[in-house]
Amino acid sequence: MLELFNEGQVYEVLLVTHSNATPVGVVRKGGILNFKLFGGRSAEELKTHPYASIQVTNDVELLVKLGLNIPVEVEFMDRKPYRWIKGLPGVYGEVTLVEEIHEDELGKTTVLRCFLRPDGVIEGSLPPRPISRADYLLLEMAVDLTRLFVATRSLKVEAARKLYERIWLNYHMYKRFGGNSEIAEKMMGWAVSSLRWNP
Ligand SMILES: Cc1cc2nc3c(=O)[nH]c(=O)nc-3n(C[C@H](O)[C@H](O)[C@H](O)COP(=O)(O)O)c2cc1C
C-alpha cells in the first residue's frame, strides 16, 4: 500500500484519530508517513492517544467537508486502539510526535511533526472516479480558506489579502472547469465574511 505514495510527494489523505477525522498532507519517507499538524483537535488527541489511521479517498468533497467541519455521512470502525472510516483503504499505526516552532507569512506557531509507521493495512476500495481539474481547484480553495481563517484571526492583513485573491481566482477557474458544488459557494461566502469581520 505504502509504495503507492511516491516518495517526497505530498498527498492529501484522511487522518483518523481517537474521535476525529481531518484531511492532512502526508509525505512518505521510506516506510514512514510524515505529516505536520498546526494545532487543532487531531493534534491534541494524538498527544494523549498516539494511534491513528491514514486513509485514501478520491472524494474531494469528503476531504473538503472534513477540513471545514461540515457534517459528513461516513461509518467508523473501532479496532482499539485504532479507529478508521469503513470502506476506505489505508494503513494504521503508532504515531511519534515532535513539537517544533514554525514560522511563515502567518506568523510564529508551534507545529506538531508526526511520523506514522504502519502496523497494519485497512482494506477498502475506491469507486472508479476520474480526476477532474475542478476537484483540484476545490481542494486548493479549502486549503487556502483554512489558512485565511488563521490569517484574519491573527490580523495578518497582507497574507489574508493574498489568500483571498487566490481563493477568488480558484473559485472562478472551478466554475470554468464545470464545478458546481454547493461547497464552493459556501467557501467563497466564508472567505468574504472572514475578510469583512476581521478587516
Ligand atoms: C485538503 C486539506 C488539507 C489539509 N492539511 C492539513 C495539514 O496537513 N495540517 C494541518 O494542520 N491542517 C491541515 N488542513 C487544515 C485542517 O483540516 C483544519 O485546520 C482543521 O480545522 C483542523 O483539524 P482538526 O481541528 O479537526 O484536527 C487541511 C485542510 C484541507 C482542506
Side-chain angles (χ1 to χ4, degrees):
M1 160 104 218
L2 229 51
E3 65 288 352
L4 296 174
F5 291 74
N6 288 337
E7 215 163 344
Q9 213 167 311
V10 183
Y11 290 95
E12 300 303 336
V13 294
L14 292 172
L15 169 72
V16 183
T17 51
H18 182 57
S19 72
N20 199 40
T22 198
V24 281
V26 301
V27 178
R28 179 173 74 88
K29 221 174 173 191
I32 293 182
L33 291 175
N34 299 259
F35 52 97
K36 289 181 188 169
L37 294 174
F38 298 87
R41 201 163 129 195
S42 310
E44 289 314 307
E45 284 194 357
L46 283 178
K47 286 182 197 166
T48 53
H49 184 90
Y51 304 96
S53 304
I54 292 285
Q55 292 185 273
V56 175
T57 179
N58 52 10
D59 181 347
V60 172
E61 292 209 7
L62 180 63
L63 285 166
V64 168
K65 283 180 176 169
L66 285 170
L68 299 171
N69 297 317
I70 298 173
V72 295
E73 278 183 27
V74 290
E75 201 181 322
F76 287 93
M77 305 275 288
D78 260 309
R79 292 280 185 280
K80 291 206 165 21
Y82 298 103
R83 194 168 168 260
W84 57 75
I85 294 172
K86 194 176 171 186
L88 296 181
V91 291
Y92 59 84
E94 198 167 342
V95 185
T96 309
L97 309 166
V98 179
E99 233 165 359
E100 273 178 8
I101 298 294
H102 173 90
E103 197 164 8
D104 62 15
E105 67 280 11
L106 299 187
K108 217 177 194 179
T109 181
T110 312
V111 60
L112 199 62
R113 282 175 66 97
C114 306
F115 309 91
L116 184 146
R117 182 183 287 282
D119 277 340
V121 171
I122 303 166
E123 298 299 333
S125 61
L126 300 178
R129 196 193 311 266
I131 294 172
S132 89
R133 291 177 75 182
D135 279 348
Y136 158 78
L137 292 160
L138 196 72
L139 200 63
E140 286 299 307
M141 281 180 74
V143 173
D144 282 342
L145 184 61
T146 58
R147 289 177 64 75
L148 175 64
F149 291 150
V150 176
T152 50
R153 262 201 314 268
S154 47
L155 301 175
K156 301 283 178 197
V157 179
E158 190 49 27
R161 194 184 56 76
K162 282 192 185 147
L163 285 163
Y164 176 81
E165 270 176 23
R166 210 156 61 197
I167 293 169
W168 188 87
L169 270 173
N170 285 338
Y171 169 75
H172 287 282
M173 295 253 282
Y174 173 78
K175 304 284 269 188
R176 232 183 35 227
F177 286 123
N180 59 2
S181 166
E182 203 187 297
I183 301 167
E185 307 302 327
K186 278 195 179 143
M187 284 199 280
M188 200 57 239
W190 287 331
V192 172
S193 27
S194 174
L195 274 197
R196 189 172 299 152
W197 295 111
N198 299 278

